[in-house]
Amino acid sequence: MEAQGNGAVAAAATAETGETASPGQAIAGPTNPMVTPLLTDLYQFTMFYAYWKAGKHHERSVFDLYFRKNPFGGEYTVFAGLEECIKFIANFKMTEDEISFIRDSLPSSCEDGFFDYLRGIDCSDVEVYAISEGSVVFPKVVQLLETPFLTLINYASLVATNAARHRFVAGKSKMLLEFGLRRAQGPDGGIGASKYCYMGGFDATSNVAAGRLFGIPLRGTHSHAFVSSFMSPDEIVEKSLQSSDGSHTCEDFVSLVQTWLNKIQWSPSLRGIFGETNQSELAAFTSYALAFPNNFLALVDTYDVVRSGIPNFCAVALALNDLGYKAVGIRLDSGDLAYLSCEVRKFFCAVAKDFGVPGFEKTGITASNDLNEETLDALNKQGHEVDAYGIGTNLVTCFAQPALGCVFKLVEINNQPRIKLSEDVSKVSIPCKKRSYRLYGREGYPLVDIMTGENEPSPKVGERILCRHPFNESKRAYVVPQQVEELMKCYWPGSSGKPRVELPALKDIRDRCIKQLEKMRPDHMRRLNPTPYKVSVSAKLYDFIHFLWLNEAPVGELQ
Ligand SMILES: Nc1ncnc2c1ncn2[C@@H]1O[C@H](COP(=O)(O)OP(=O)(O)OP(=O)(O)O)[C@@H](O)[C@H]1O
Ligand SMILES: O=P(O)(O)OC[C@H]1O[C@H](OP(=O)(O)OP(=O)(O)O)[C@H](O)[C@@H]1O
Ligand SMILES: O=C(O)c1cccnc1
Ligand SMILES: [Mg+2]
């Protein structure tokens, strides 16, 4: 991602002037009202003051926002958080309260003129170019206003990538439910996780606020407390249930359930598997079915999955079936999920056969309990019958890697390219305002991303182009692209007059993400030792980086 504006912008995450109106239609503010100009590090304001004092606040600068290493030991990242950045800059304006807080926080020697200046600034002179949100991205290519942008992008991209990785292991056909709100790092972590896990390929969330804010499908089951809060079916007072088509009413649904439980107990395939089931559980399931006859999904592991939970569930499901309702399924939340899911499926198949209920064998099985990529992978290897996963802690806290190292570096000031040197070559920044392209090969897979200087001609389909590793001289390859995709689009044109790319709906971003991940070459996607995706620069940019490097690096003196 790349952000251009005057020098002060980068430091304080804002632009100056305030003369021109915001371009395009009005854009709503950030989802979280805590995202204000003060959601930044103090040094942004101290640097901003120093720029102002030095008269540098009108200079034009270009900053790149990128990360250096893909997370979770993988070779790809899902870019997320752009919409919130644009919402932030579109509404950037400091209030009198905020300005007076900054005045109190800076040394008293700071001149009044600076605070008058703060009053006038907005982002109408900033331009933001970025890769579309939900895109698969690679180190160094994503480019953008420092602390708030990094805050809005780092976790968003990390958790979206985590979700995409869970989706990859679970497989396309499985339903993935995000259950993380209670375990997330506070309310913003919880809301962000729900949004970005959906973006990364989850199907639904249990987080009601996120469902309302972003239109994410809501799903849920019930807890162990619901099961253990009942004592026995005798406590159920309202026992009647109307049939699904409204043609008749069963006056005593509780007895109907009991009758089915007896039948299951003595059925040819299931005889002897279980004896007395837990009556508290039976009462809970029956009550839940009376409340939600069309959405009956039961948590079956409170007492004993095979000897109690499943027979109780089947008795209630078969009673519902008599009245024309189809039970949704069960949730397993402990024990060996591979083994138990297979036992449950066998039980469902036996019921379908013994009682002639076609389709019962396909009743849904949801699994939860500390799931992560590894456990999903282990379940796949063992063989299982799970249709849906509910995942919380490991997903939303990004337990396997708690931060993505996105950085924000100055690459040009007043049209002069700038470079940041480091002993660690991978930390040297790539100077200049750039363009980025994704080149696709004959098989339709992306082959390489290439960065060029802003004014270089773009790579052409069918034309050979030399792609060079930015820092390693010997790593280079010719590529004849079959398709060329320009990656960075103008999401915030400032006063440049360029057209602004509309912010897509969350669902469309999610579709893009899923489609792009499906287009990746499998060896970049595998979990163990994935092949690195190549990120390169043009020959011209390579030469320029190394010229600037030599120019800026002092020559040592040996004595
Ligand atoms: N077949 C399996 N292969 C690998 N890991 C599994 C399998 N089944 C379950 N797991 C994982 O093993 C762990 C079991 O954890 P733990 O022993 O804490 O749970 P439990 O005793 O089954 O249930 P509870 O939550 O009631 O304590 C969980 O992380 C779960 O996701
Ligand atoms: O396991 P996670 O991936 O975080 O998924 C969410 C968990 O939250 C619920 O448990 P609850 O909070 O009731 O506690 P529990 O650990 O005792 O099941 C649910 O039953 C899941 O186990
Ligand atoms: O709806 C559920 O089953 C659920 C929601 C959040 C956490 N655990 C389970
Ligand atoms: Mg648990």
Side-chain angles (χ1 to χ4, degrees):
M1 205 140 108
E2 200 167 70
Q4 304 174 35
N6 55 53
V9 174
T14 169
E16 44 95 48
T17 71
E19 288 155 16
T20 46
S22 297
Q25 309 134 265
I27 294 177
T31 301
N32 186 337
M34 273 192 296
V35 180
T36 69
L38 298 195
L39 188 74
T40 191
D41 297 306
L42 179 65
Y43 83 157
Q44 310 293 11
F45 280 102
T46 48
M47 286 191 287
F48 194 1
Y49 182 77
Y51 284 138
W52 180 82
K53 270 295 278 177
K56 278 174 77 72
H57 53 296
H58 290 290
E59 294 181 5
R60 298 284 306 172
S61 56
V62 181
F63 280 77
D64 279 2
L65 186 149
Y66 57 92
F67 57 92
R68 300 188 176 107
K69 196 170 182 321
N70 288 300
F72 309 117
E75 285 296 341
Y76 66 94
T77 300
V78 173
F79 172 49
L82 175 64
E83 181 190 22
E84 295 295 331
C85 291
I86 302 300
K87 287 179 159 181
F88 171 65
I89 57 170
N91 293 279
F92 190 101
K93 192 86 192 124
M94 290 188 73
T95 64
E96 284 304 319
D97 267 6
E98 288 169 342
I99 293 170
S100 89
F101 182 77
I102 292 300
R103 187 194 289 270
D104 294 344
S105 309
L106 291 180
S108 57
S109 58
C110 288
E111 296 168 22
D112 288 348
F114 175 67
F115 302 103
D116 295 338
Y117 176 60
L118 284 185
R119 211 164 275 128
I121 57 169
D122 61 19
C123 282
S124 57
D125 204 24
V126 173
E127 294 166 45
V128 174
Y129 298 83
I131 296 178
S132 307
E133 191 161 5
S135 297
V136 179
V137 292
F138 308 99
K140 293 203 180 282
V141 187
V142 185
Q143 307 173 26
L144 251 196
L145 300 159
E146 193 161 2
T147 310
F149 275 15
L150 292 173
T151 310
L152 292 170
I153 285 172
N154 260 319
Y155 174 70
S157 300
L158 185 73
V159 76
T161 307
N162 204 13
R165 296 180 62 85
H166 282 77
R167 163 59 72 198
F168 183 75
V169 186
K172 242 165 127 171
S173 65
K174 303 296 170 200
M175 175 86 153
L176 291 183
L177 313 172
E178 177 268 313
F179 278 175
L181 181 57
R182 63 187 60 198
R183 304 273 154 70
Q185 276 98 341
D188 188 69
I191 294 278
S194 303
K195 175 174 178 181
Y196 297 114
C197 288
Y198 181 64
M199 192 180 280
F202 270 57
D203 296 293
T205 178
S206 63
N207 180 344
V208 179
R212 171 156 184 226
L213 276 169
F214 310 119
I216 304 171
L218 287 174
R219 289 283 182 286
T221 69
H222 63 78
S223 72
H224 295 111
F226 182 81
V227 176
S228 47
S229 70
F230 287 81
M231 301 300 286
S232 99
D234 299 341
E235 68 190 278
I236 301 174
V237 186
E238 183 47 65
K239 301 179 185 177
S240 70
L241 181 63
Q242 201 178 48
S243 65
S244 151
D245 60 7
S247 64
H248 63 288
T249 298
C250 164
E251 294 303 336
D252 191 349
F253 185 70
V254 178
S255 299
L256 183 61
V257 169
Q258 201 50 259
T259 311
W260 271 113
L261 190 58
N262 292 337
K263 285 195 209 170
I264 299 169
Q265 204 166 8
W266 301 107
S267 76
S269 321
L270 299 166
R271 188 171 303 145
I273 290 189
F274 68 96
E276 191 75 349
T277 63
N278 186 293
Q279 293 300 291
S280 142
E281 181 176 65
L282 187 62
F285 289 0
T286 307
S287 300
Y288 203 74
L290 284 165
F292 299 107
N294 278 307
N295 299 286
F296 177 55
L297 196 155
L299 175 61
V300 293
D301 70 334
T302 309
Y303 303 111
D304 187 307
V305 173
V306 177
R307 290 196 194 85
S308 183
I310 291 300
N312 280 339
F313 166 80
C314 289
V316 177
L318 288 167
L320 282 174
N321 181 61
D322 282 350
L323 298 172
Y325 298 102
K326 193 168 174 301
V328 174
I330 60 115
R331 173 160 75 103
L332 295 167
D333 190 43
S334 59
D336 183 328
L337 299 169
Y339 168 78
L340 285 171
S341 68
C342 293
E343 288 302 298
V344 172
R345 185 67 69 206
K346 278 193 238 157
F347 206 108
F348 288 165
C349 289
V351 168
K353 183 164 142 276
D354 286 5
F355 301 107
V357 189
F360 197 87
E361 70 284 359
K362 295 206 188 92
T363 302
I365 302 176
T366 300
S368 56
N369 188 26
D370 271 326
L371 294 172
N372 58 24
E373 275 189 66
E374 270 64 45
T375 46
L376 297 186
D377 190 44
L379 293 179
N380 288 342
K381 287 185 173 130
Q382 293 159 45
H384 67 88
E385 286 292 336
V386 177
D387 304 297
Y389 296 104
I391 315 183
T393 314
N394 287 286
L395 177 68
V396 306
T397 66
C398 295
F399 197 87
Q401 182 181 322
L404 174 68
C406 258
V407 296
F408 192 77
K409 297 287 164 197
L410 180 72
V411 294
E412 202 174 289
I413 183 132
N414 290 333
N415 296 318
Q416 293 300 308
R418 306 306 296 146
I419 191 166
K420 158 79 181 75
L421 301 181
S422 169
E423 297 275 322
D424 175 353
V425 171
S426 70
K427 289 194 165 181
V428 174
S429 65
I430 299 178
C432 304
K433 190 172 170 203
K434 301 175 280 295
R435 289 177 185 270
S436 307
Y437 303 89
R438 186 157 293 169
L439 309 183
Y440 292 81
R442 224 175 297 135
E443 289 172 47
Y445 296 121
L447 284 182
V448 60
D449 284 6
I450 182 168
M451 290 179 266
T452 70
E454 192 196 7
N455 298 316
E456 283 186 58
S458 68
K460 304 263 176 325
V461 170
E463 256 180 42
R464 200 166 82 141
I465 182 169
L466 181 63
C467 298
R468 299 202 65 164
H469 187 288
F471 306 117
N472 188 331
E473 198 174 5
S474 64
K475 287 193 173 171
R476 61 224 200 279
Y478 283 114
V479 175
V480 181
Q482 303 302 308
Q483 188 198 331
V484 175
E485 182 187 5
E486 175 145 23
L487 294 175
M488 306 242 284
K489 304 196 178 99
C490 181
Y491 278 91
W492 186 254
S495 47
S496 69
K498 290 181 190 151
R500 173 167 71 80
V501 174
E502 279 298 318
L503 295 169
L506 179 59
K507 176 83 173 60
D508 296 333
I509 299 177
R510 176 178 187 270
D511 290 347
R512 180 209 318 278
C513 173
I514 293 171
K515 232 163 67 207
Q516 285 206 2
L517 288 163
E518 282 172 356
K519 260 198 323 210
M520 292 299 294
R521 220 171 58 198
D523 57 311
H524 296 309
M525 300 296 292
R526 72 173 171 239
R527 295 184 55 247
L528 188 66
N529 302 327
T531 311
Y533 181 84
K534 292 184 182 62
V535 174
S536 65
V537 294
S538 65
K540 206 166 162 194
L541 185 54
Y542 177 91
D543 289 342
F544 187 70
I545 297 169
H546 291 263
F547 162 77
L548 200 63
W549 193 340
L550 291 182
N551 230 16
E552 299 283 355
V555 181
E557 301 252 357
L558 300 178
Q559 318 234 331

